[in-house]
């Protein structure tokens, strides 16, 4: 009997969308204000879902305190109050679109959470712009 | 490698739920206050999901600015600050239930967004009454 | 020792902004989409604040259950799922702007709540358009 | 042609997480503050999804007023303003984790809603801790 | 030149409203479900406002990190995941109404924050029931 | 008869808190993560209140469409998707704390809105960190 548990957390970053292979004009046209030379920023809200069997003894699928610890180690300590383009290895060459941030976070969590659990990452770049990545 | 991107927007309408084939009494009994002769209204919040491959160059699934433009043309300009029953062709005979509004919006978007993208429409009639339509 | 207690409730209406003394063109220009002939609508969120002495025995300023009862009788039963312009006496000639709706609600509550309590009405026409009226 | 309709409601409870088979120390270590001897509490927000065919005449999948009545009878009247461990049969021996509460609610609804409708229960224990159960 | 800074935090408690001087019947009648013998509970959201001069050098009124530390020490560590009636000295005899909780928190903060700052406490017992206390 | 009307809007920025007169160590100690060399960022939510007489003819205090136009010209076009420290004159030397951003916005609005209206600026740097400035 499976259930999904979800933990919501958040981090704040500067970033800039830019494709190195493109000219300045191409980038301005494609990414608009998000290409601003000196970066802009967001409060990212992150919802991580873990789906698995309900333990019949504890009634837990996955300890959300433990999940928050993993999120602190893998996401918050690395990205919070950072410039994604300049301060992180992950986005040194990868464009920090919401899709790519969700993809990177999903892979970090996949390495830390046992395979019997399905993982989904939902990332709110703003209240109006949201991305979901589940590795499928 | 697929991800889902979501854009949230909103529009405000008057509407009335009524089945032309039914008597006044049947309508009052079935739809209650929503059958009020002179209409009532809602702030509709709309979340549109588009699922597809992440472009390896841009890191985008679908440009959310472009999606908002389509939403402005297909939904906002047609429904915002309108009476759905009286001011729109779509609901001249179709009952403007949240389910039918979501269905109509989904079909409008399906005509504008390429087939390789899966579309889901989530419509909040109120914070407490919500509908999802994905064409399946 | 005074405190303020707040109760949040909601109602859904159709309405139309229009000044009878003005021409059709003047109304269109001033009220824009809100002047739509066939009405549009909103989910109104209402927060009513009551400020007064904390009763030393009960720890209550004002029973919020009682306040909700008054709100049901004075506001919800009269305005919810109605057309403010057509279905209510209060807005038969008074333009149902958010300011005027807040003013009308404040006066109804002032008649029902003892004078030693200060009343403030906060009305959300949308999440982005909000009005406060406190009788001062 | 299927759609999903969602109704959001809420209830407030005291509860305590504890496994009877474990020692006091094991329980403190595993459940932390949630094991507090004298209980703690939550405002639970509940979203119930019902998926089914859109009725071509009414435009409804399932009457949300009827769904709210079922929720009042099966959930609100039994759990609201109660101590889940002491005041309910359901959690007299079952640990009232969010997963188990969602599971119990899902089963109660499954008994009341016809089989052609798929049911999903989403329970917010807090804004940050959420559980989904769909019987699969 | 003064500004107000606000920090939002939260804690979860069990509680029960009851007046010791009253009979069981009087308490049931006055407090209704909130008088449940075995307690119920809430997710309390707390907004603390501090008003004072903007420091011309730092641009800060009051360091919100420092304010959170005070909130952790004075509120979260004492009330979070507790039964207010049974586990705290503050509400051993004082009825834990939202008004009284706000009053108690305000006094704790008043002792820790210098007199040149005005303090206001806003406490959300639920999204619909809110209290403000500012010591005036 | 006065009422207050409120318009909510938003903008996204990169920024860094730093006092030029202080050493690197002093800045790190005082501002913590907010001092990150390469900036971080936020989704700023902005609520502007305008208090004045209700026009007896229109029922308006201040046209919120006009207020949004002023906000677009004075705030959004200047700050949205910008680096406050590097891309704006306003914060070239002034530390872009939430207090100072609110102060700067208030002054810009004060220049555009007639003196008979009182203005209050409420700025959400995050959901948990909020500032109010009203020029008093």
């Amino acid at each position: 009997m499976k259930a999904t548990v979800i933990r919501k957390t958040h981090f704040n970053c500067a970033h800039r969308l830019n494709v190195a292979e493109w000219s300045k004009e191409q980038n301005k046209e494609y990414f608009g204000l998000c290409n601003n030379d000196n970066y802009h920023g967001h409060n990212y809200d992150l919802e991580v879902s873990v789906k698995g069997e309900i333990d019949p003894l504890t009634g837990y699928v996955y300890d959300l305190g433990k999940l928050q610890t993993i999120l602190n180690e893998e996401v918050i300590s690395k990205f919070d109050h950072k410039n994604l383009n300049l301060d992180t290895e992950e986005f040194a060459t990868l464009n920090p679109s919401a899709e790519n941030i969700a993809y990177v976070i999903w892979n970090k969590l996949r390495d830390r959470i046992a395979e019997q659990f399905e993982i989904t990452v939902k990332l709110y770049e703003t209240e109006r712009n949201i991305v979901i990545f589940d590795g499928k």
Side-chain angles (χ1 to χ4, degrees), chain A residues 7 60-73 112-114 117:
Chain A
R7 178 73 183 177
Y60 270 21
V61 164
Y62 198 91
D63 181 352
L64 290 177
K66 186 177 153 192
L67 181 55
Q68 182 66 53
T69 301
I70 294 173
L71 287 168
N72 289 344
E73 292 171 4
R112 294 288 303 271
I113 293 170
F117 298 103

Side-chain angles (χ1 to χ4, degrees), chain A residues 45 82 97 122:
Chain A
D45 276 332
K82 295 287 169 61
S97 67
K122 187 173 186 179

